[in-house]
Amino acid sequence: MNRLPEDFYLRTDVLQVSRALLGKVLVTQFEGVHTAGLITEVEAYRAPDDRACHAWNNRRTNRTEVMFREGGTAYIYLCYGIHHLFNVVTGPEGTAHAILVRAVEPLEGIEIMLQRRKAPLPESRLTTGPGALSQALGLTTAWTGQSLLLPDTPVWIEDRGRLVSDTDIAAGPRIGVDYAGECAAWEWRFWLRDSAFVSRKK
DNA sequence: CACGGGATCGTCT
DNA sequence: GACGATCCCGTGT
C-alpha cells in the first residue's frame, strides 16, 4: 500500500492537486470489507473567491468548518437528503479548498459494490457520479472530518504508479453549479479523457 | 435519447 | 421554510 503523503494534499493550488488526483486509487476498508476505485473525474472548489464553494467568502458554519482544516481530511456532506458526496480537503489549515470526487473506475470489491448499490447495474454505472460512488464505496457523512493520512483510517488514497500526463486530462465547467454566477463557467472539472467511467459525456 | 418529476433531510435564512 | 456540488425511473419520441 502506498498511501499519498501529507505533502500531496498540502499544496496551495487546488487545481493542481485536482489534476494530480486523477489516476490515484480511492480505498475504503471497514468492518472487514475492502473496496477500491481508480479516480477518473473530480471538481475543484475554492474559497473565498469561488461562489460555488460552500465556504464561499470564507463563510464558517458547522458544516464548512471541516473545509478549513489541513489538507488530507475528508469532507463529506449530504446532498438532496439522499446522497453522501465525498471531497478531499487540500491546502494548509485555514484555507477552505476541497476536491469533489465525481467518479471512479471499480477495481476491488466489485461484488460488494453491487450489493451496496441497486444490483443489477452495468459496471459502467456502478461508480460514476458523486452520489453513486459514495454508495458503492460505503462513504457516508459519518466520516466527515476523518483523516486520510493516519494509520488505520477507514478511507484513504493510494498511488499505484498509474501515469497520467496533461494530454490525458480533459477540463470543463462543473456540474450543477448554475447558481454560482460567473464561477459556473470556470473549467474546474477534470476527467480522464479516455475513461469509460465518467459521470457525463462532454 | 431527452425530458421531467419525486425522493428526502441537513443546513442556513 | 426553501433549497441543494444527485440519482433513478417513467414517459414520449
Side-chain angles (χ1 to χ4, degrees), chain A residues 35-146:
Chain A
T35 54
L38 184 109
I39 298 174
T40 57
E41 179 184 356
V42 298
E43 283 176 358
Y45 290 85
R46 186 183 74 188
D49 54 317
D50 173 18
R51 261 188 123 111
C53 180
H54 291 156
W56 172 63
N57 212 14
N58 283 338
R59 185 177 56 160
R60 283 179 182 263
T61 67
N62 282 340
R63 182 175 66 157
T64 65
E65 197 61 32
V66 168
M67 296 186 76
F68 290 87
R69 294 212 205 154
E70 185 168 72
T73 301
Y75 169 50
I76 308 176
Y77 74 96
L78 188 66
C79 187
Y80 292 97
I82 303 174
H83 306 290
H84 301 253
L85 302 206
F86 174 79
N87 301 251
V88 178
V89 174
T90 70
E93 184 175 2
T95 66
H97 299 177
I99 302 166
L100 172 68
V101 179
R102 288 193 55 88
V104 304
E105 173 182 341
L107 292 182
E108 294 154 11
I110 292 177
E111 286 306 314
I112 298 292
M113 296 189 200
L114 282 166
Q115 287 172 27
R116 288 176 179 156
R117 300 271 291 138
K118 200 170 188 175
L121 263 179
E123 199 168 301
S124 61
R125 288 182 42 209
L126 188 56
T127 54
T128 54
L133 97 254
S134 290
Q135 188 176 44
L137 295 179
L139 297 160
T140 74
T141 56
W143 291 349
T144 196
Q146 170 72 57

Side-chain angles (χ1 to χ4, degrees), chain A residues 7-21 44-47 49 88-92 95-99 187-188 190:
Chain A
D7 286 353
F8 180 93
Y9 302 103
L10 284 183
R11 285 174 284 178
T12 54
D13 184 354
V14 67
L15 302 180
Q16 184 186 19
V17 184
S18 296
R19 291 169 164 275
L21 218 41
Y45 290 85
R46 186 183 74 188
D49 54 317
V88 178
V89 174
T90 70
T95 66
H97 299 177
I99 302 166
E187 300 197 329
W188 284 11
F190 306 97

Side-chain angles (χ1 to χ4, degrees), chain A residues 22 40-42 168-173 189-195 198 200-202:
Chain A
L22 295 173
T40 57
E41 179 184 356
V42 298
D168 298 325
I169 299 174
R189 174 182 174 228
F190 306 97
W191 65 94
L192 290 179
R193 187 187 301 281
D194 295 328
S195 175
V198 168
R200 300 191 199 182
K201 304 263 175 179
K202 175 143 191 245

